[in-house]
Amino acid sequence: MLHIVDDEEVIRDSLAWLAQSRGLPARGYAGGQEFLDALQDLDVSGDCLLLDVRMPGMNGIAVFDDLFKRGLLPRLPVIFLTGHGDVPMAVDSLKRGAFDFFEKPFNDNQLMDRVEEALAASRKAAASAGVQARLATLSAREREVLDLILAGMMNKVVADKLGISMRTVEVHRAHIFDKMQVKTAVELAGLLK
């Protein structure tokens, strides 16, 4: 989902139309606070935010700071849009984790290309966060078995190395595969690369 925060309705509508012309769902917000209020009910994993810098009330930089404090970057990449930007503002935003910074007027295709790249990066970050969450469910012993499996060791070798029975290794291996939502060691290695 592409979230568009701009106080100008015509800009929101045209950006939503551009996104939809590429098959991307989009939703507009008239201001920063409106977006932050809606954010409480949204799962933004895999999403992207087009954010105007200058708006009445809460400006785009304040919204960005709030997202940064909540730890939502880079799961929610932010592309700034502004008609009043300057180089220091752009550099500072990019250093703090903004995905990109576009000045109005902008090239529609270049902007939508960057939106698609941001959405891909967001999906990748969300998937990585999911893998990390699954890894966190493993016990200490399961982590040891996992590391040895990833090193290419067979169950018997893992059992000898850890001083446990081969059956115990098989049980740990089954639990690891279940928790990591994979069926093979190759699939597990691909997930963790």
Side-chain angles (χ1 to χ4, degrees), residues 73-120:
L73 308 175
R75 279 189 309 135
L76 179 62
V78 175
I79 298 175
F80 279 106
L81 301 173
T82 185
H84 308 283
D86 56 38
V87 172
M89 179 191 302
V91 169
D92 181 57
S93 299
L94 293 169
K95 280 184 179 177
R96 293 187 313 123
F99 194 82
D100 211 334
F101 201 96
F102 278 79
E103 280 192 280
K104 297 175 186 174
F106 46 81
N107 177 294
D108 295 350
N109 285 325
Q110 288 177 342
L111 176 63
M112 284 300 117
D113 288 346
R114 285 301 280 165
V115 164
E116 288 179 337
E117 291 169 14
L119 287 166

mmCIF file of all heavy atoms in Angstrom, residues 73-120:
data_model
loop_
_atom_site.group_PDB
_atom_site.id
_atom_site.type_symbol
_atom_site.label_atom_id
_atom_site.label_comp_id
_atom_site.label_asym_id
_atom_site.label_seq_id
_atom_site.Cartn_x
_atom_site.Cartn_y
_atom_site.Cartn_z
ATOM 1 N N LEU A 73 11.061 2.766 10.601
ATOM 2 C CA LEU A 73 11.960 2.831 9.454
ATOM 3 C C LEU A 73 12.934 1.671 9.583
ATOM 4 O O LEU A 73 13.418 1.423 10.678
ATOM 5 C CB LEU A 73 12.717 4.159 9.430
ATOM 6 C CG LEU A 73 11.837 5.412 9.522
ATOM 7 C CD1 LEU A 73 12.702 6.644 9.622
ATOM 8 C CD2 LEU A 73 10.890 5.528 8.351
ATOM 9 N N PRO A 74 13.289 0.909 8.604
ATOM 10 C CA PRO A 74 12.966 1.007 7.187
ATOM 11 C C PRO A 74 11.762 0.169 6.761
ATOM 12 O O PRO A 74 11.519 0.032 5.574
ATOM 13 C CB PRO A 74 14.229 0.476 6.524
ATOM 14 C CG PRO A 74 14.730 -0.569 7.452
ATOM 15 C CD PRO A 74 14.367 -0.071 8.836
ATOM 16 N N ARG A 75 11.012 -0.398 7.723
ATOM 17 C CA ARG A 75 9.824 -1.168 7.326
ATOM 18 C C ARG A 75 8.815 -0.314 6.587
ATOM 19 O O ARG A 75 8.020 -0.812 5.802
ATOM 20 C CB ARG A 75 9.142 -1.783 8.551
ATOM 21 C CG ARG A 75 9.770 -3.054 9.038
ATOM 22 C CD ARG A 75 8.949 -3.738 10.096
ATOM 23 N NE ARG A 75 8.589 -2.834 11.176
ATOM 24 C CZ ARG A 75 7.375 -2.754 11.715
ATOM 25 N NH1 ARG A 75 6.419 -3.519 11.297
ATOM 26 N NH2 ARG A 75 7.129 -1.913 12.687
ATOM 27 N N LEU A 76 8.823 0.995 6.855
ATOM 28 C CA LEU A 76 7.940 1.931 6.158
ATOM 29 C C LEU A 76 8.824 2.999 5.520
ATOM 30 O O LEU A 76 9.074 4.047 6.106
ATOM 31 C CB LEU A 76 6.939 2.574 7.129
ATOM 32 C CG LEU A 76 5.977 3.595 6.525
ATOM 33 C CD1 LEU A 76 5.087 2.942 5.473
ATOM 34 C CD2 LEU A 76 5.132 4.244 7.600
ATOM 35 N N PRO A 77 9.346 2.724 4.312
ATOM 36 C CA PRO A 77 10.211 3.709 3.669
ATOM 37 C C PRO A 77 9.453 5.004 3.382
ATOM 38 O O PRO A 77 8.289 4.971 2.980
ATOM 39 C CB PRO A 77 10.638 3.039 2.365
ATOM 40 C CG PRO A 77 10.219 1.620 2.461
ATOM 41 C CD PRO A 77 9.175 1.526 3.508
ATOM 42 N N VAL A 78 10.152 6.116 3.606
ATOM 43 C CA VAL A 78 9.558 7.436 3.411
ATOM 44 C C VAL A 78 10.233 8.120 2.228
ATOM 45 O O VAL A 78 11.459 8.223 2.180
ATOM 46 C CB VAL A 78 9.723 8.305 4.679
ATOM 47 C CG1 VAL A 78 9.222 9.719 4.426
ATOM 48 C CG2 VAL A 78 8.998 7.672 5.856
ATOM 49 N N ILE A 79 9.401 8.576 1.291
ATOM 50 C CA ILE A 79 9.875 9.395 0.180
ATOM 51 C C ILE A 79 9.274 10.777 0.390
ATOM 52 O O ILE A 79 8.054 10.935 0.388
ATOM 53 C CB ILE A 79 9.455 8.821 -1.186
ATOM 54 C CG1 ILE A 79 10.067 7.426 -1.384
ATOM 55 C CG2 ILE A 79 9.868 9.771 -2.308
ATOM 56 C CD1 ILE A 79 9.625 6.721 -2.650
ATOM 57 N N PHE A 80 10.142 11.755 0.589
ATOM 58 C CA PHE A 80 9.682 13.123 0.792
ATOM 59 C C PHE A 80 9.374 13.785 -0.535
ATOM 60 O O PHE A 80 10.068 13.578 -1.532
ATOM 61 C CB PHE A 80 10.746 13.958 1.515
ATOM 62 C CG PHE A 80 10.773 13.756 2.997
ATOM 63 C CD1 PHE A 80 11.781 13.032 3.589
ATOM 64 C CD2 PHE A 80 9.791 14.319 3.805
ATOM 65 C CE1 PHE A 80 11.813 12.853 4.959
ATOM 66 C CE2 PHE A 80 9.810 14.151 5.177
ATOM 67 C CZ PHE A 80 10.828 13.417 5.757
ATOM 68 N N LEU A 81 8.329 14.595 -0.532
ATOM 69 C CA LEU A 81 7.963 15.445 -1.663
ATOM 70 C C LEU A 81 7.924 16.878 -1.155
ATOM 71 O O LEU A 81 7.350 17.127 -0.089
ATOM 72 C CB LEU A 81 6.574 15.096 -2.196
ATOM 73 C CG LEU A 81 6.346 13.676 -2.688
ATOM 74 C CD1 LEU A 81 4.876 13.467 -3.012
ATOM 75 C CD2 LEU A 81 7.202 13.403 -3.907
ATOM 76 N N THR A 82 8.542 17.792 -1.887
ATOM 77 C CA THR A 82 8.490 19.174 -1.440
ATOM 78 C C THR A 82 8.652 20.140 -2.595
ATOM 79 O O THR A 82 9.348 19.848 -3.571
ATOM 80 C CB THR A 82 9.568 19.477 -0.372
ATOM 81 O OG1 THR A 82 9.389 20.802 0.101
ATOM 82 C CG2 THR A 82 10.965 19.303 -0.927
ATOM 83 N N GLY A 83 8.007 21.255 -2.467
ATOM 84 C CA GLY A 83 8.194 22.361 -3.390
ATOM 85 C C GLY A 83 9.103 23.405 -2.788
ATOM 86 O O GLY A 83 9.443 24.396 -3.419
ATOM 87 N N HIS A 84 9.499 23.187 -1.533
ATOM 88 C CA HIS A 84 10.276 24.189 -0.801
ATOM 89 C C HIS A 84 11.477 23.564 -0.101
ATOM 90 O O HIS A 84 11.854 23.992 0.977
ATOM 91 C CB HIS A 84 9.397 24.876 0.243
ATOM 92 C CG HIS A 84 8.118 25.411 -0.318
ATOM 93 N ND1 HIS A 84 8.051 26.571 -1.051
ATOM 94 C CD2 HIS A 84 6.861 24.918 -0.286
ATOM 95 C CE1 HIS A 84 6.804 26.777 -1.426
ATOM 96 N NE2 HIS A 84 6.054 25.793 -0.982
ATOM 97 N N GLY A 85 12.056 22.535 -0.684
ATOM 98 C CA GLY A 85 13.170 21.865 -0.030
ATOM 99 C C GLY A 85 14.478 22.574 -0.268
ATOM 100 O O GLY A 85 14.600 23.437 -1.128
ATOM 101 N N ASP A 86 15.442 22.207 0.529
ATOM 102 C CA ASP A 86 16.796 22.692 0.313
ATOM 103 C C ASP A 86 17.747 21.524 0.513
ATOM 104 O O ASP A 86 17.368 20.480 1.047
ATOM 105 C CB ASP A 86 17.119 23.872 1.232
ATOM 106 C CG ASP A 86 16.918 23.552 2.708
ATOM 107 O OD1 ASP A 86 17.232 22.425 3.139
ATOM 108 O OD2 ASP A 86 16.463 24.438 3.446
ATOM 109 N N VAL A 87 18.976 21.702 0.094
ATOM 110 C CA VAL A 87 19.953 20.614 0.142
ATOM 111 C C VAL A 87 20.190 20.128 1.571
ATOM 112 O O VAL A 87 20.155 18.921 1.824
ATOM 113 C CB VAL A 87 21.271 21.034 -0.556
ATOM 114 C CG1 VAL A 87 22.350 19.989 -0.352
ATOM 115 C CG2 VAL A 87 21.020 21.249 -2.040
ATOM 116 N N PRO A 88 20.412 21.018 2.555
ATOM 117 C CA PRO A 88 20.630 20.514 3.917
ATOM 118 C C PRO A 88 19.458 19.682 4.452
ATOM 119 O O PRO A 88 19.656 18.670 5.122
ATOM 120 C CB PRO A 88 20.827 21.782 4.756
ATOM 121 C CG PRO A 88 21.306 22.814 3.784
ATOM 122 C CD PRO A 88 20.620 22.474 2.484
ATOM 123 N N MET A 89 18.223 20.103 4.141
ATOM 124 C CA MET A 89 17.049 19.354 4.592
ATOM 125 C C MET A 89 17.031 17.963 3.960
ATOM 126 O O MET A 89 16.790 16.958 4.641
ATOM 127 C CB MET A 89 15.756 20.094 4.209
ATOM 128 C CG MET A 89 14.483 19.363 4.616
ATOM 129 S SD MET A 89 12.984 20.076 3.870
ATOM 130 C CE MET A 89 13.023 21.746 4.449
ATOM 131 N N ALA A 90 17.318 17.898 2.670
ATOM 132 C CA ALA A 90 17.324 16.610 1.972
ATOM 133 C C ALA A 90 18.424 15.705 2.514
ATOM 134 O O ALA A 90 18.183 14.525 2.791
ATOM 135 C CB ALA A 90 17.507 16.828 0.474
ATOM 136 N N VAL A 91 19.620 16.252 2.679
ATOM 137 C CA VAL A 91 20.752 15.453 3.176
ATOM 138 C C VAL A 91 20.458 14.934 4.579
ATOM 139 O O VAL A 91 20.673 13.757 4.880
ATOM 140 C CB VAL A 91 22.056 16.278 3.147
ATOM 141 C CG1 VAL A 91 23.172 15.573 3.894
ATOM 142 C CG2 VAL A 91 22.466 16.551 1.706
ATOM 143 N N ASP A 92 19.937 15.798 5.445
ATOM 144 C CA ASP A 92 19.620 15.383 6.815
ATOM 145 C C ASP A 92 18.572 14.277 6.825
ATOM 146 O O ASP A 92 18.709 13.286 7.552
ATOM 147 C CB ASP A 92 19.125 16.582 7.631
ATOM 148 C CG ASP A 92 18.807 16.202 9.062
ATOM 149 O OD1 ASP A 92 19.706 15.680 9.759
ATOM 150 O OD2 ASP A 92 17.642 16.393 9.483
ATOM 151 N N SER A 93 17.546 14.415 6.019
ATOM 152 C CA SER A 93 16.489 13.395 5.965
ATOM 153 C C SER A 93 17.036 12.060 5.480
ATOM 154 O O SER A 93 16.706 11.003 6.027
ATOM 155 C CB SER A 93 15.361 13.851 5.040
ATOM 156 O OG SER A 93 14.790 15.027 5.512
ATOM 157 N N LEU A 94 17.867 12.102 4.445
ATOM 158 C CA LEU A 94 18.439 10.865 3.904
ATOM 159 C C LEU A 94 19.385 10.216 4.909
ATOM 160 O O LEU A 94 19.389 8.985 5.055
ATOM 161 C CB LEU A 94 19.144 11.139 2.580
ATOM 162 C CG LEU A 94 18.209 11.542 1.435
ATOM 163 C CD1 LEU A 94 19.008 12.042 0.244
ATOM 164 C CD2 LEU A 94 17.300 10.398 1.040
ATOM 165 N N LYS A 95 20.159 11.018 5.618
ATOM 166 C CA LYS A 95 21.072 10.469 6.634
ATOM 167 C C LYS A 95 20.298 9.780 7.757
ATOM 168 O O LYS A 95 20.775 8.819 8.343
ATOM 169 C CB LYS A 95 21.943 11.574 7.240
ATOM 170 C CG LYS A 95 23.105 11.963 6.389
ATOM 171 C CD LYS A 95 23.952 12.997 7.118
ATOM 172 C CE LYS A 95 25.155 13.408 6.325
ATOM 173 N NZ LYS A 95 25.934 14.452 7.015
ATOM 174 N N ARG A 96 19.125 10.287 8.056
ATOM 175 C CA ARG A 96 18.326 9.725 9.146
ATOM 176 C C ARG A 96 17.413 8.596 8.694
ATOM 177 O O ARG A 96 16.654 8.060 9.487
ATOM 178 C CB ARG A 96 17.531 10.815 9.839
ATOM 179 C CG ARG A 96 18.453 11.791 10.575
ATOM 180 C CD ARG A 96 17.770 12.823 11.423
ATOM 181 N NE ARG A 96 16.675 13.496 10.775
ATOM 182 C CZ ARG A 96 15.424 13.514 11.265
ATOM 183 N NH1 ARG A 96 15.133 12.919 12.374
ATOM 184 N NH2 ARG A 96 14.482 14.156 10.618
ATOM 185 N N GLY A 97 17.492 8.221 7.409
ATOM 186 C CA GLY A 97 16.776 7.028 6.982
ATOM 187 C C GLY A 97 15.683 7.215 5.961
ATOM 188 O O GLY A 97 14.998 6.246 5.621
ATOM 189 N N ALA A 98 15.479 8.433 5.455
ATOM 190 C CA ALA A 98 14.485 8.607 4.388
ATOM 191 C C ALA A 98 14.945 7.820 3.165
ATOM 192 O O ALA A 98 16.139 7.685 2.908
ATOM 193 C CB ALA A 98 14.317 10.083 4.043
ATOM 194 N N PHE A 99 14.005 7.287 2.432
ATOM 195 C CA PHE A 99 14.336 6.489 1.247
ATOM 196 C C PHE A 99 14.757 7.382 0.088
ATOM 197 O O PHE A 99 15.680 7.062 -0.650
ATOM 198 C CB PHE A 99 13.137 5.618 0.852
ATOM 199 C CG PHE A 99 13.480 4.540 -0.131
ATOM 200 C CD1 PHE A 99 14.050 3.354 0.297
ATOM 201 C CD2 PHE A 99 13.230 4.715 -1.479
ATOM 202 C CE1 PHE A 99 14.377 2.360 -0.611
ATOM 203 C CE2 PHE A 99 13.545 3.725 -2.397
ATOM 204 C CZ PHE A 99 14.120 2.538 -1.959
ATOM 205 N N ASP A 100 14.067 8.527 -0.074
ATOM 206 C CA ASP A 100 14.428 9.450 -1.149
ATOM 207 C C ASP A 100 13.779 10.803 -0.879
ATOM 208 O O ASP A 100 12.968 10.949 0.048
ATOM 209 C CB ASP A 100 13.990 8.917 -2.513
ATOM 210 C CG ASP A 100 14.921 9.366 -3.641
ATOM 211 O OD1 ASP A 100 15.574 10.431 -3.517
ATOM 212 O OD2 ASP A 100 14.999 8.650 -4.638
ATOM 213 N N PHE A 101 14.125 11.767 -1.709
ATOM 214 C CA PHE A 101 13.669 13.136 -1.543
ATOM 215 C C PHE A 101 13.430 13.706 -2.938
ATOM 216 O O PHE A 101 14.364 13.776 -3.737
ATOM 217 C CB PHE A 101 14.770 13.938 -0.831
ATOM 218 C CG PHE A 101 14.309 15.190 -0.160
ATOM 219 C CD1 PHE A 101 14.001 15.197 1.181
ATOM 220 C CD2 PHE A 101 14.194 16.371 -0.883
ATOM 221 C CE1 PHE A 101 13.590 16.361 1.812
ATOM 222 C CE2 PHE A 101 13.781 17.532 -0.269
ATOM 223 C CZ PHE A 101 13.476 17.530 1.084
ATOM 224 N N PHE A 102 12.188 14.062 -3.262
ATOM 225 C CA PHE A 102 11.840 14.597 -4.583
ATOM 226 C C PHE A 102 11.345 16.029 -4.443
ATOM 227 O O PHE A 102 10.547 16.329 -3.560
ATOM 228 C CB PHE A 102 10.728 13.767 -5.238
ATOM 229 C CG PHE A 102 11.193 12.533 -5.919
ATOM 230 C CD1 PHE A 102 11.491 11.388 -5.192
ATOM 231 C CD2 PHE A 102 11.347 12.498 -7.297
ATOM 232 C CE1 PHE A 102 11.923 10.237 -5.816
ATOM 233 C CE2 PHE A 102 11.781 11.354 -7.936
ATOM 234 C CZ PHE A 102 12.072 10.213 -7.195
ATOM 235 N N GLU A 103 11.800 16.881 -5.352
ATOM 236 C CA GLU A 103 11.296 18.249 -5.410
ATOM 237 C C GLU A 103 10.153 18.329 -6.413
ATOM 238 O O GLU A 103 10.193 17.693 -7.466
ATOM 239 C CB GLU A 103 12.401 19.216 -5.841
ATOM 240 C CG GLU A 103 13.342 19.580 -4.708
ATOM 241 C CD GLU A 103 14.225 20.747 -5.099
ATOM 242 O OE1 GLU A 103 15.210 20.496 -5.803
ATOM 243 O OE2 GLU A 103 13.906 21.892 -4.701
ATOM 244 N N LYS A 104 9.124 19.090 -6.061
ATOM 245 C CA LYS A 104 8.017 19.356 -6.974
ATOM 246 C C LYS A 104 8.449 20.474 -7.909
ATOM 247 O O LYS A 104 9.102 21.413 -7.446
ATOM 248 C CB LYS A 104 6.761 19.792 -6.210
ATOM 249 C CG LYS A 104 6.189 18.748 -5.274
ATOM 250 C CD LYS A 104 5.024 19.348 -4.492
ATOM 251 C CE LYS A 104 4.501 18.408 -3.443
ATOM 252 N NZ LYS A 104 3.471 19.028 -2.598
ATOM 253 N N PRO A 105 8.138 20.443 -9.167
ATOM 254 C CA PRO A 105 7.503 19.339 -9.880
ATOM 255 C C PRO A 105 8.501 18.202 -10.084
ATOM 256 O O PRO A 105 9.700 18.412 -10.188
ATOM 257 C CB PRO A 105 7.096 19.961 -11.217
ATOM 258 C CG PRO A 105 8.071 21.075 -11.423
ATOM 259 C CD PRO A 105 8.442 21.572 -10.055
ATOM 260 N N PHE A 106 7.985 16.991 -10.144
ATOM 261 C CA PHE A 106 8.834 15.806 -10.275
ATOM 262 C C PHE A 106 8.424 15.033 -11.511
ATOM 263 O O PHE A 106 7.333 15.209 -12.042
ATOM 264 C CB PHE A 106 8.726 14.920 -9.033
ATOM 265 C CG PHE A 106 7.318 14.703 -8.578
ATOM 266 C CD1 PHE A 106 6.503 13.752 -9.183
ATOM 267 C CD2 PHE A 106 6.774 15.469 -7.559
ATOM 268 C CE1 PHE A 106 5.204 13.565 -8.785
ATOM 269 C CE2 PHE A 106 5.463 15.287 -7.149
ATOM 270 C CZ PHE A 106 4.678 14.334 -7.759
ATOM 271 N N ASN A 107 9.309 14.156 -11.947
ATOM 272 C CA ASN A 107 9.027 13.273 -13.071
ATOM 273 C C ASN A 107 8.186 12.107 -12.547
ATOM 274 O O ASN A 107 8.634 11.372 -11.667
ATOM 275 C CB ASN A 107 10.343 12.777 -13.679
ATOM 276 C CG ASN A 107 10.124 11.809 -14.811
ATOM 277 O OD1 ASN A 107 9.622 10.705 -14.615
ATOM 278 N ND2 ASN A 107 10.515 12.216 -16.004
ATOM 279 N N ASP A 108 6.976 11.955 -13.078
ATOM 280 C CA ASP A 108 6.047 10.922 -12.591
ATOM 281 C C ASP A 108 6.654 9.525 -12.624
ATOM 282 O O ASP A 108 6.536 8.768 -11.650
ATOM 283 C CB ASP A 108 4.765 10.920 -13.433
ATOM 284 C CG ASP A 108 3.959 12.199 -13.287
ATOM 285 O OD1 ASP A 108 4.273 13.016 -12.405
ATOM 286 O OD2 ASP A 108 3.003 12.371 -14.066
ATOM 287 N N ASN A 109 7.280 9.187 -13.739
ATOM 288 C CA ASN A 109 7.840 7.835 -13.872
ATOM 289 C C ASN A 109 8.994 7.596 -12.909
ATOM 290 O O ASN A 109 9.095 6.520 -12.322
ATOM 291 C CB ASN A 109 8.278 7.561 -15.316
ATOM 292 C CG ASN A 109 7.092 7.303 -16.222
ATOM 293 O OD1 ASN A 109 6.096 6.710 -15.809
ATOM 294 N ND2 ASN A 109 7.181 7.770 -17.454
ATOM 295 N N GLN A 110 9.847 8.599 -12.738
ATOM 296 C CA GLN A 110 10.959 8.438 -11.794
ATOM 297 C C GLN A 110 10.433 8.257 -10.374
ATOM 298 O O GLN A 110 10.928 7.414 -9.621
ATOM 299 C CB GLN A 110 11.905 9.634 -11.856
ATOM 300 C CG GLN A 110 12.744 9.681 -13.105
ATOM 301 C CD GLN A 110 13.614 10.925 -13.176
ATOM 302 O OE1 GLN A 110 13.383 11.910 -12.484
ATOM 303 N NE2 GLN A 110 14.624 10.872 -14.037
ATOM 304 N N LEU A 111 9.430 9.035 -10.012
ATOM 305 C CA LEU A 111 8.856 8.917 -8.671
ATOM 306 C C LEU A 111 8.233 7.534 -8.475
ATOM 307 O O LEU A 111 8.489 6.867 -7.468
ATOM 308 C CB LEU A 111 7.802 10.003 -8.436
ATOM 309 C CG LEU A 111 7.079 9.914 -7.089
ATOM 310 C CD1 LEU A 111 8.041 10.090 -5.929
ATOM 311 C CD2 LEU A 111 5.950 10.942 -7.025
ATOM 312 N N MET A 112 7.436 7.084 -9.432
ATOM 313 C CA MET A 112 6.789 5.779 -9.278
ATOM 314 C C MET A 112 7.799 4.632 -9.314
ATOM 315 O O MET A 112 7.613 3.620 -8.637
ATOM 316 C CB MET A 112 5.708 5.585 -10.339
ATOM 317 C CG MET A 112 4.433 6.364 -10.070
ATOM 318 S SD MET A 112 3.645 5.916 -8.498
ATOM 319 C CE MET A 112 3.750 7.449 -7.608
ATOM 320 N N ASP A 113 8.888 4.787 -10.070
ATOM 321 C CA ASP A 113 9.950 3.779 -10.036
ATOM 322 C C ASP A 113 10.541 3.681 -8.633
ATOM 323 O O ASP A 113 10.754 2.581 -8.111
ATOM 324 C CB ASP A 113 11.067 4.113 -11.033
ATOM 325 C CG ASP A 113 10.662 3.895 -12.490
ATOM 326 O OD1 ASP A 113 9.615 3.244 -12.740
ATOM 327 O OD2 ASP A 113 11.399 4.385 -13.369
ATOM 328 N N ARG A 114 10.775 4.839 -8.011
ATOM 329 C CA ARG A 114 11.329 4.841 -6.643
ATOM 330 C C ARG A 114 10.309 4.289 -5.644
ATOM 331 O O ARG A 114 10.682 3.606 -4.691
ATOM 332 C CB ARG A 114 11.769 6.246 -6.233
ATOM 333 C CG ARG A 114 13.053 6.694 -6.875
ATOM 334 C CD ARG A 114 14.226 5.778 -6.572
ATOM 335 N NE ARG A 114 14.765 6.057 -5.250
ATOM 336 C CZ ARG A 114 15.587 5.253 -4.593
ATOM 337 N NH1 ARG A 114 15.979 4.111 -5.116
ATOM 338 N NH2 ARG A 114 16.025 5.571 -3.399
ATOM 339 N N VAL A 115 9.036 4.573 -5.850
ATOM 340 C CA VAL A 115 7.991 4.014 -4.978
ATOM 341 C C VAL A 115 8.028 2.488 -5.061
ATOM 342 O O VAL A 115 7.984 1.800 -4.028
ATOM 343 C CB VAL A 115 6.591 4.563 -5.346
ATOM 344 C CG1 VAL A 115 5.488 3.725 -4.725
ATOM 345 C CG2 VAL A 115 6.466 6.026 -4.924
ATOM 346 N N GLU A 116 8.118 1.950 -6.272
ATOM 347 C CA GLU A 116 8.170 0.493 -6.418
ATOM 348 C C GLU A 116 9.420 -0.084 -5.754
ATOM 349 O O GLU A 116 9.359 -1.138 -5.117
ATOM 350 C CB GLU A 116 8.093 0.107 -7.900
ATOM 351 C CG GLU A 116 6.700 0.327 -8.469
ATOM 352 C CD GLU A 116 6.573 -0.011 -9.951
ATOM 353 O OE1 GLU A 116 7.594 0.003 -10.671
ATOM 354 O OE2 GLU A 116 5.441 -0.279 -10.373
ATOM 355 N N GLU A 117 10.554 0.616 -5.861
ATOM 356 C CA GLU A 117 11.775 0.171 -5.182
ATOM 357 C C GLU A 117 11.595 0.224 -3.663
ATOM 358 O O GLU A 117 12.039 -0.671 -2.944
ATOM 359 C CB GLU A 117 12.969 1.027 -5.610
ATOM 360 C CG GLU A 117 13.387 0.813 -7.052
ATOM 361 C CD GLU A 117 14.391 1.858 -7.545
ATOM 362 O OE1 GLU A 117 14.975 2.590 -6.710
ATOM 363 O OE2 GLU A 117 14.586 1.936 -8.767
ATOM 364 N N ALA A 118 10.948 1.274 -3.177
ATOM 365 C CA ALA A 118 10.700 1.405 -1.736
ATOM 366 C C ALA A 118 9.768 0.307 -1.237
ATOM 367 O O ALA A 118 9.984 -0.258 -0.159
ATOM 368 C CB ALA A 118 10.107 2.777 -1.427
ATOM 369 N N LEU A 119 8.746 -0.004 -2.024
ATOM 370 C CA LEU A 119 7.827 -1.084 -1.639
ATOM 371 C C LEU A 119 8.559 -2.424 -1.581
ATOM 372 O O LEU A 119 8.343 -3.218 -0.660
ATOM 373 C CB LEU A 119 6.642 -1.151 -2.607
ATOM 374 C CG LEU A 119 5.620 -0.024 -2.470
ATOM 375 C CD1 LEU A 119 4.700 0.013 -3.682
ATOM 376 C CD2 LEU A 119 4.834 -0.155 -1.182
ATOM 377 N N ALA A 120 9.453 -2.668 -2.536
ATOM 378 C CA ALA A 120 10.242 -3.908 -2.529
ATOM 379 C C ALA A 120 11.149 -3.947 -1.303
ATOM 380 O O ALA A 120 11.267 -4.983 -0.634
ATOM 381 C CB ALA A 120 11.061 -4.034 -3.809
#
